[in-house]
Protein backbone atom coordinates (compact mmCIF):
# COMPACT_ATOMS: atom_id res chain seq x y z
CA UNK A 1 0.00 0.00 0.00
CA UNK A 2 1.49 3.31 -1.10
CA UNK A 3 1.30 6.37 1.16
CA UNK A 4 -1.89 8.36 0.55
CA UNK A 5 -0.75 11.97 0.94
CA UNK A 6 0.89 14.68 -1.07
CA UNK A 7 4.02 12.66 -1.55
CA UNK A 8 7.51 14.03 -1.10
CA UNK A 9 10.12 12.73 -3.49
CA UNK A 10 13.16 10.70 -2.49
CA UNK A 11 16.52 10.69 -4.24
CA UNK A 12 18.35 7.39 -3.69
CA UNK A 13 22.07 7.69 -4.42
CA UNK A 14 24.08 4.54 -5.21
CA UNK A 15 27.85 4.91 -5.60
CA UNK A 16 29.03 2.12 -7.90
CA UNK A 17 32.49 0.70 -8.41
CA UNK A 18 33.23 -2.73 -9.94
CA UNK A 19 29.94 -4.18 -8.68
CA UNK A 20 29.06 -6.36 -11.64
CA UNK A 21 27.95 -9.36 -9.55
CA UNK A 22 25.77 -7.53 -7.04
CA UNK A 23 24.53 -4.27 -8.57
CA UNK A 24 21.45 -5.72 -10.24
CA UNK A 25 20.11 -7.14 -6.97
CA UNK A 26 20.75 -3.81 -5.26
CA UNK A 27 18.96 -1.75 -7.92
CA UNK A 28 16.02 -4.16 -8.17
CA UNK A 29 15.46 -3.85 -4.43
CA UNK A 30 15.24 -0.06 -4.81
CA UNK A 31 13.03 -0.17 -7.91
CA UNK A 32 10.68 -2.55 -6.08
CA UNK A 33 9.90 -0.11 -3.26
CA UNK A 34 6.24 0.30 -2.34
CA UNK A 35 6.96 4.02 -2.10
CA UNK A 36 7.27 4.86 -5.78
CA UNK A 37 8.12 8.58 -5.78
CA UNK A 38 11.81 7.87 -6.24
CA UNK A 39 14.65 8.92 -8.43
CA UNK A 40 17.54 6.48 -8.41
CA UNK A 41 20.95 8.01 -9.08
CA UNK A 42 23.65 5.53 -10.06
CA UNK A 43 27.12 7.06 -9.97
CA UNK A 44 29.64 4.88 -11.79
CA UNK A 45 32.93 5.76 -10.14
CA UNK A 46 35.25 4.70 -12.96
CA UNK A 47 34.41 0.99 -12.92
CA UNK A 48 36.64 -1.28 -15.01
CA UNK A 49 34.74 -4.58 -14.91
CA UNK A 50 31.74 -3.80 -17.09
CA UNK A 51 29.65 -2.25 -14.31
CA UNK A 52 29.36 1.04 -16.22
CA UNK A 53 27.47 -0.48 -19.18
CA UNK A 54 25.33 -2.47 -16.71
CA UNK A 55 24.26 0.83 -15.12
CA UNK A 56 23.15 2.06 -18.54
CA UNK A 57 21.20 -1.15 -19.20
CA UNK A 58 19.44 -0.91 -15.84
CA UNK A 59 18.44 2.69 -16.61
CA UNK A 60 16.63 1.50 -19.73
CA UNK A 61 14.42 -0.75 -17.57
CA UNK A 62 13.14 2.00 -15.28
CA UNK A 63 12.72 5.66 -16.18
CA UNK A 64 13.41 6.69 -12.57
CA UNK A 65 17.07 5.66 -12.92
CA UNK A 66 19.67 8.24 -13.91
CA UNK A 67 23.31 7.31 -14.49
CA UNK A 68 26.43 9.42 -14.11
CA UNK A 69 29.85 8.18 -15.17
CA UNK A 70 32.96 9.72 -13.65
CA UNK A 71 36.64 9.05 -13.15
CA UNK A 72 37.46 7.01 -10.07
CA UNK A 73 37.56 9.20 -6.99
CA UNK A 74 36.12 7.09 -4.19
CA UNK A 75 32.71 6.62 -2.62
CA UNK A 76 32.59 10.12 -1.13
CA UNK A 77 33.14 11.84 -4.47
CA UNK A 78 30.49 9.60 -6.04
CA UNK A 79 27.99 10.42 -3.29
CA UNK A 80 28.77 14.13 -3.60
CA UNK A 81 28.11 14.04 -7.35
CA UNK A 82 24.80 12.36 -6.57
CA UNK A 83 23.92 15.09 -4.06
CA UNK A 84 24.70 17.79 -6.63
CA UNK A 85 22.16 16.24 -8.99
CA UNK A 86 19.50 15.11 -6.49
CA UNK A 87 16.05 16.62 -6.97
CA UNK A 88 14.28 14.92 -4.07
CA UNK A 89 12.93 16.40 -0.84
CA UNK A 90 14.74 13.63 1.06
CA UNK A 91 17.93 11.73 0.27
CA UNK A 92 18.79 8.10 0.90
CA UNK A 93 21.91 6.09 0.14
CA UNK A 94 22.39 2.43 -0.72
CA UNK A 95 25.76 0.79 -1.27
CA UNK A 96 25.94 -1.31 -4.41
CA UNK A 97 26.86 -4.47 -2.43
CA UNK A 98 23.71 -4.21 -0.31
CA UNK A 99 19.95 -4.47 -0.75
CA UNK A 100 16.81 -3.32 1.04
CA UNK A 101 13.34 -4.62 1.86
CA UNK A 102 10.46 -3.39 -0.30
CA UNK A 103 8.85 -1.22 2.40
CA UNK A 104 11.95 0.56 3.71
CA UNK A 105 11.37 3.96 2.12
CA UNK A 106 7.64 3.87 2.73
CA UNK A 107 8.15 3.33 6.46
CA UNK A 108 10.87 5.96 6.73
CA UNK A 109 8.97 8.52 4.66
CA UNK A 110 5.74 8.06 6.63
CA UNK A 111 7.61 8.80 9.85
CA UNK A 112 9.68 11.67 8.45
CA UNK A 113 6.73 13.33 6.74
CA UNK A 114 4.05 12.93 9.41
CA UNK A 115 6.28 13.73 12.40
CA UNK A 116 8.51 16.27 10.64
CA UNK A 117 11.68 14.42 11.55
CA UNK A 118 14.70 15.62 9.52
CA UNK A 119 16.46 12.24 9.82
CA UNK A 120 14.92 8.77 10.09
CA UNK A 121 16.95 5.60 10.45
CA UNK A 122 15.95 2.05 9.58
CA UNK A 123 17.75 -0.74 11.43
CA UNK A 124 20.09 -3.10 9.60
CA UNK A 125 21.47 -6.59 9.68
CA UNK A 126 24.69 -7.98 8.24
CA UNK A 127 25.06 -11.01 5.98
CA UNK A 128 27.90 -12.89 4.38
CA UNK A 129 28.11 -13.46 0.63
CA UNK A 130 26.02 -16.64 0.90
CA UNK A 131 23.19 -14.73 2.62
CA UNK A 132 23.72 -16.13 6.12
CA UNK A 133 23.09 -13.74 9.00
CA UNK A 134 26.07 -12.42 10.91
CA UNK A 135 25.98 -11.03 14.48
CA UNK A 136 24.29 -7.63 14.72
CA UNK A 137 26.70 -4.70 14.77
CA UNK A 138 23.95 -2.39 16.01
CA UNK A 139 21.14 -3.83 18.12
CA UNK A 140 17.77 -2.48 16.90
CA UNK A 141 15.31 -0.92 19.34
CA UNK A 142 12.19 -2.91 20.21
CA UNK A 143 9.90 -0.06 19.10
CA UNK A 144 10.31 3.24 17.28
CA UNK A 145 12.69 5.43 19.27
CA UNK A 146 13.54 9.10 19.00
CA UNK A 147 17.17 9.59 20.03
CA UNK A 148 18.23 13.18 20.77
CA UNK A 149 21.52 14.31 19.26
CA UNK A 150 23.55 14.21 22.48
CA UNK A 151 22.36 10.69 23.31
CA UNK A 152 23.06 9.55 19.75
CA UNK A 153 26.54 11.03 20.01
CA UNK A 154 27.12 9.23 23.32
CA UNK A 155 26.05 5.95 21.73
CA UNK A 156 28.40 6.55 18.80
CA UNK A 157 31.23 6.98 21.31
CA UNK A 158 30.26 3.65 22.87
CA UNK A 159 30.03 1.95 19.43
CA UNK A 160 26.33 1.31 19.98
CA UNK A 161 24.85 3.63 17.33
CA UNK A 162 24.81 3.29 13.55
CA UNK A 163 26.84 6.00 11.79
CA UNK A 164 26.07 4.71 8.29
CA UNK A 165 24.22 7.04 5.92
CA UNK A 166 22.85 4.01 4.08
CA UNK A 167 20.35 3.31 6.86
CA UNK A 168 19.08 6.90 6.95
CA UNK A 169 16.59 9.08 5.13
CA UNK A 170 17.68 12.70 5.39
CA UNK A 171 15.95 15.94 4.50
CA UNK A 172 17.93 17.24 1.54
CA UNK A 173 18.21 20.79 2.84
CA UNK A 174 20.42 19.53 5.66
CA UNK A 175 23.18 18.92 3.11
CA UNK A 176 23.39 22.63 2.26
CA UNK A 177 27.02 23.50 2.96
CA UNK A 178 27.86 19.89 3.85
CA UNK A 179 29.44 17.16 1.76
CA UNK A 180 31.15 13.83 2.35
CA UNK A 181 34.89 14.29 2.99
CA UNK A 182 36.76 13.01 -0.05
CA UNK A 183 39.92 10.95 0.20
CA UNK A 184 38.85 9.23 3.44
CA UNK A 185 37.46 5.74 4.11
CA UNK A 186 35.53 6.51 7.30
CA UNK A 187 33.57 9.21 5.53
CA UNK A 188 30.15 8.71 7.14
CA UNK A 189 31.32 9.43 10.67
CA UNK A 190 32.67 12.93 10.13
CA UNK A 191 29.68 14.18 8.12
CA UNK A 192 27.19 12.68 10.55
CA UNK A 193 28.77 14.61 13.43
CA UNK A 194 28.36 17.82 11.41
CA UNK A 195 24.68 17.10 10.81
CA UNK A 196 24.01 16.18 14.44
CA UNK A 197 24.91 19.76 15.35
CA UNK A 198 21.97 21.01 13.28
CA UNK A 199 19.17 18.65 14.33
CA UNK A 200 17.42 17.72 17.56
CA UNK A 201 17.90 14.01 17.01
CA UNK A 202 17.23 10.93 14.88
CA UNK A 203 14.12 8.73 14.78
CA UNK A 204 15.06 5.04 14.69
CA UNK A 205 12.77 2.30 13.38
CA UNK A 206 13.18 -1.25 14.74
CA UNK A 207 12.74 -3.04 11.41
CA UNK A 208 16.00 -4.48 10.06
CA UNK A 209 15.16 -3.59 6.50
CA UNK A 210 18.64 -2.69 5.25
CA UNK A 211 20.88 -5.67 4.52
CA UNK A 212 24.64 -5.10 4.57
CA UNK A 213 26.53 -7.72 2.55
CA UNK A 214 30.07 -8.28 3.82
CA UNK A 215 32.15 -9.07 0.75
CA UNK A 216 35.54 -10.66 1.29
CA UNK A 217 37.08 -8.41 -1.39
CA UNK A 218 35.67 -5.10 -0.13
CA UNK A 219 37.89 -2.04 0.30
CA UNK A 220 38.35 -2.41 4.06
CA UNK A 221 38.54 -6.20 4.23
CA UNK A 222 40.89 -7.29 1.47
CA UNK A 223 44.35 -7.60 3.01
CA UNK A 224 47.60 -9.40 2.55
CA UNK A 225 50.05 -9.91 5.41
CA UNK A 226 51.65 -6.51 4.83
CA UNK A 227 48.69 -4.49 3.54
CA UNK A 228 46.99 -2.04 5.84
CA UNK A 229 43.77 -0.24 5.01
CA UNK A 230 43.90 3.51 5.49
CA UNK A 231 40.58 3.24 7.32
CA UNK A 232 42.50 2.37 10.50
CA UNK A 233 44.39 5.65 10.27
CA UNK A 234 41.20 7.59 9.57
CA UNK A 235 39.40 6.19 12.61
CA UNK A 236 42.22 7.41 14.87
CA UNK A 237 42.16 10.87 13.27
CA UNK A 238 38.38 11.01 13.66
CA UNK A 239 38.72 10.05 17.32
CA UNK A 240 41.06 12.97 17.95
CA UNK A 241 38.67 15.37 16.25
CA UNK A 242 35.79 13.89 18.21
CA UNK A 243 37.63 14.44 21.51
CA UNK A 244 38.10 18.12 20.71
CA UNK A 245 34.47 18.49 19.63
CA UNK A 246 33.05 16.71 22.68
CA UNK A 247 35.22 18.59 25.19
CA UNK A 248 34.13 21.88 23.63
CA UNK A 249 30.42 21.17 23.26
CA UNK A 250 29.49 18.20 25.47
CA UNK A 251 31.98 18.14 28.38
CA UNK A 252 29.77 15.65 30.24
CA UNK A 253 30.77 13.10 27.58
CA UNK A 254 34.52 13.54 28.16
CA UNK A 255 35.08 10.02 29.50
CA UNK A 256 32.97 8.57 26.68
CA UNK A 257 35.24 10.33 24.18
CA UNK A 258 38.38 9.08 25.96
CA UNK A 259 36.99 5.56 25.76
CA UNK A 260 36.33 6.09 22.03
CA UNK A 261 39.88 7.34 21.49
CA UNK A 262 41.41 4.37 23.30
CA UNK A 263 39.16 1.86 21.51
CA UNK A 264 39.96 3.28 18.08
CA UNK A 265 43.67 3.02 18.84
CA UNK A 266 43.17 -0.53 20.03
CA UNK A 267 41.56 -1.33 16.67
CA UNK A 268 44.53 0.28 14.91
CA UNK A 269 47.08 -1.68 16.96
CA UNK A 270 45.33 -4.99 16.35
CA UNK A 271 45.40 -4.50 12.57
CA UNK A 272 48.70 -2.79 11.76
CA UNK A 273 51.09 -5.32 10.16
CA UNK A 274 54.18 -6.19 12.19
CA UNK A 275 56.33 -4.95 9.32
CA UNK A 276 54.98 -1.41 9.89
CA UNK A 277 55.52 -1.37 13.65
CA UNK A 278 58.86 0.47 13.52
CA UNK A 279 60.49 3.75 14.48
CA UNK A 280 60.18 5.15 10.97
CA UNK A 281 56.38 4.97 11.17
CA UNK A 282 55.53 8.29 12.82
CA UNK A 283 51.81 7.56 13.01
CA UNK A 284 52.46 4.29 14.83
CA UNK A 285 54.87 6.00 17.22
CA UNK A 286 52.25 8.64 18.04
CA UNK A 287 49.65 5.97 18.77
CA UNK A 288 52.07 4.31 21.19
CA UNK A 289 52.76 7.67 22.89
CA UNK A 290 49.05 8.26 23.33
CA UNK A 291 48.53 4.84 24.93
CA UNK A 292 51.42 5.40 27.34
CA UNK A 293 50.13 8.84 28.26
CA UNK A 294 46.65 7.45 28.97
CA UNK A 295 47.48 4.37 31.03
CA UNK A 296 45.51 5.77 33.96
CA UNK A 297 42.51 6.38 31.68
CA UNK A 298 42.79 2.82 30.38
CA UNK A 299 42.67 1.44 33.90
CA UNK A 300 39.95 3.72 35.27
CA UNK A 301 37.63 4.38 32.32
CA UNK A 302 34.23 2.88 33.22
CA UNK A 303 33.18 2.39 29.60
CA UNK A 304 35.99 0.03 28.55
CA UNK A 305 35.45 -3.68 29.06
CA UNK A 306 37.91 -5.73 31.08
CA UNK A 307 39.08 -7.39 27.85
CA UNK A 308 39.63 -3.96 26.22
CA UNK A 309 41.72 -2.83 29.18
CA UNK A 310 43.88 -5.96 29.21
CA UNK A 311 44.61 -5.70 25.48
CA UNK A 312 45.35 -1.98 25.70
CA UNK A 313 47.73 -2.39 28.64
CA UNK A 314 49.53 -5.30 26.99
CA UNK A 315 49.82 -3.44 23.68
CA UNK A 316 51.15 -0.41 25.56
CA UNK A 317 53.81 -2.50 27.31
CA UNK A 318 54.87 -4.87 24.52
CA UNK A 319 53.10 -4.04 21.24
CA UNK A 320 55.04 -6.32 18.88
CA UNK A 321 54.91 -9.35 21.15
CA UNK A 322 51.18 -8.94 21.70
CA UNK A 323 50.56 -8.50 17.98
CA UNK A 324 52.45 -11.72 17.23
CA UNK A 325 50.45 -13.59 19.86
CA UNK A 326 47.20 -12.10 18.56
CA UNK A 327 48.11 -13.15 15.02
CA UNK A 328 48.76 -16.73 16.12
CA UNK A 329 45.45 -16.76 17.99
CA UNK A 330 43.49 -15.52 14.96
CA UNK A 331 45.17 -18.01 12.61
CA UNK A 332 44.37 -20.85 15.00
CA UNK A 333 40.76 -19.70 15.34
CA UNK A 334 40.32 -19.49 11.56
CA UNK A 335 41.74 -22.98 11.08
Amino acid sequence: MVICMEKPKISVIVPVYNSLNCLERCVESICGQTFEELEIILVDDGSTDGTGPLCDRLAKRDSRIRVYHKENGGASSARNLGLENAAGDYVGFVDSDDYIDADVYQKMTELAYTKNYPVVQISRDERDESGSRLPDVCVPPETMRFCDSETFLKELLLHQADCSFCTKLIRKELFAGHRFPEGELNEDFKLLIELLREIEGIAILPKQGYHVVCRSDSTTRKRSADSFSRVFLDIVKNADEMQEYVDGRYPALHEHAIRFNLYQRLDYMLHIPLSQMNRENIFYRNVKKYLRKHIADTICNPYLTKKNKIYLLLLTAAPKSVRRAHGWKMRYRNG
Side-chain angles (χ1 to χ4, degrees):
M1 180 177 177
V2 180
I3 302 172
C4 296
M5 60 173 74
E6 183 182 347
K7 302 183 187 73
K9 186 174 183 178
I10 298 173
S11 298
V12 184
I13 298 171
V14 184
V16 179
Y17 178 71
N18 287 358
S19 305
L20 194 62
N21 295 327
C22 55
L23 179 62
E24 192 162 3
R25 176 181 62 183
C26 170
V27 173
E28 286 178 352
S29 75
I30 304 170
C31 292
Q33 292 293 297
T34 54
F35 185 87
E36 297 178 349
E37 293 298 313
L38 302 172
E39 64 169 3
I40 303 162
I41 301 175
L42 304 182
V43 183
D44 169 32
D45 188 37
S47 296
T48 59
D49 67 341
T51 298
L54 175 59
C55 290
D56 296 329
R57 293 196 298 273
L58 292 172
K60 292 179 180 179
R61 299 182 191 175
D62 194 315
S63 62
R64 296 173 298 175
I65 298 176
R66 289 189 285 136
V67 179
Y68 295 89
H69 299 280
K70 61 183 287 295
E71 292 184 2
N72 181 254
S76 287
S77 67
R79 285 176 167 182
N80 288 338
L81 178 60
L83 284 170
E84 294 297 330
N85 291 279
D89 304 292
Y90 293 89
V91 179
F93 301 88
V94 180
D95 282 346
S96 59
D97 306 32
D98 306 334
Y99 60 98
I100 57 178
D101 287 350
D103 59 352
V104 161
Y105 284 119
Q106 178 171 326
K107 288 184 177 298
M108 288 201 288
T109 305
E110 285 175 339
L111 189 57
Y113 201 58
T114 60
K115 300 293 186 180
N116 199 31
Y117 290 135
V119 181
V120 174
Q121 175 180 297
I122 198 82
S123 294
R124 78 187 201 202
D125 62 27
E126 303 219 0
R127 299 170 183 264
D128 63 23
E129 290 174 293
S130 68
S132 299
R133 281 284 299 270
L134 299 172
D136 287 331
V137 173
C138 300
V139 179
E142 293 184 1
T143 59
M144 194 285 288
R145 172 192 179 213
F146 181 79
C147 188
D148 66 81
S149 291
E150 183 171 353
T151 300
F152 196 90
L153 177 61
K154 179 175 71 175
E155 293 180 2
L156 281 175
L157 294 173
L158 296 175
H159 291 90
Q160 295 172 352
D162 184 1
C163 71
S164 173
F165 274 77
C166 289
T167 53
K168 295 172 181 63
L169 183 68
I170 302 169
R171 194 179 294 155
K172 186 192 172 188
E173 64 189 35
L174 280 177
F175 287 102
H178 299 287
R179 288 295 183 266
F180 290 94
E182 299 187 18
E184 298 184 23
L185 293 179
N186 199 31
E187 65 275 8
D188 286 9
F189 190 88
K190 188 175 292 187
L191 180 56
L192 182 59
I193 299 306
E194 291 181 13
L195 298 187
L196 282 174
R197 301 174 188 176
E198 301 186 10
I199 60 176
E200 292 184 3
I202 295 176
I204 304 173
L205 288 164
K207 175 182 172 63
Q208 291 179 290
Y210 189 99
H211 307 295
V212 177
V213 179
C214 299
R215 290 169 57 192
S216 58
D217 61 344
S218 70
T219 303
T220 57
R221 291 182 176 87
K222 189 174 182 180
R223 298 179 61 217
S224 66
D226 293 318
S227 67
F228 188 37
S229 172
R230 199 181 67 251
V231 71
F232 295 107
L233 281 69
D234 290 343
I235 63 175
V236 172
K237 294 174 183 176
N238 285 344
D240 288 336
E241 292 175 5
M242 176 64 86
Q243 186 76 59
E244 183 178 354
Y245 170 65
V246 167
D247 288 346
R249 184 155 182 168
Y250 299 105
L253 300 181
H254 173 77
E255 283 194 320
H256 296 79
I258 289 290
R259 179 262 177 203
F260 186 74
N261 242 308
L262 288 167
Y263 190 95
Q264 300 298 78
R265 282 168 167 80
L266 172 60
D267 203 13
Y268 169 91
M269 291 293 279
L270 289 176
H271 286 87
I272 181 173
L274 281 165
S275 62
Q276 297 186 32
M277 299 173 77
N278 55 62
R279 293 184 59 82
E280 288 70 38
N281 188 334
I282 296 175
F283 196 96
Y284 166 69
R285 285 168 53 192
N286 287 335
V287 169
K288 286 200 303 179
K289 287 178 183 178
Y290 183 96
L291 295 180
R292 289 169 182 164
K293 182 179 178 181
H294 290 84
I295 290 175
D297 288 317
T298 298
I299 296 170
C300 300
N301 191 283
Y303 304 110
L304 287 168
T305 66
K306 182 179 179 180
K307 183 178 180 181
N308 293 158
K309 293 180 179 183
I310 291 172
Y311 261 108
L312 281 164
L313 292 172
L314 289 173
L315 284 163
T316 302
K320 287 188 178 181
S321 297
V322 175
R323 278 291 286 113
R324 288 191 186 96
H326 180 71
W328 295 332
K329 176 183 175 182
M330 297 306 294
R331 285 193 292 272
Y332 177 78
R333 178 182 294 178
N334 295 330

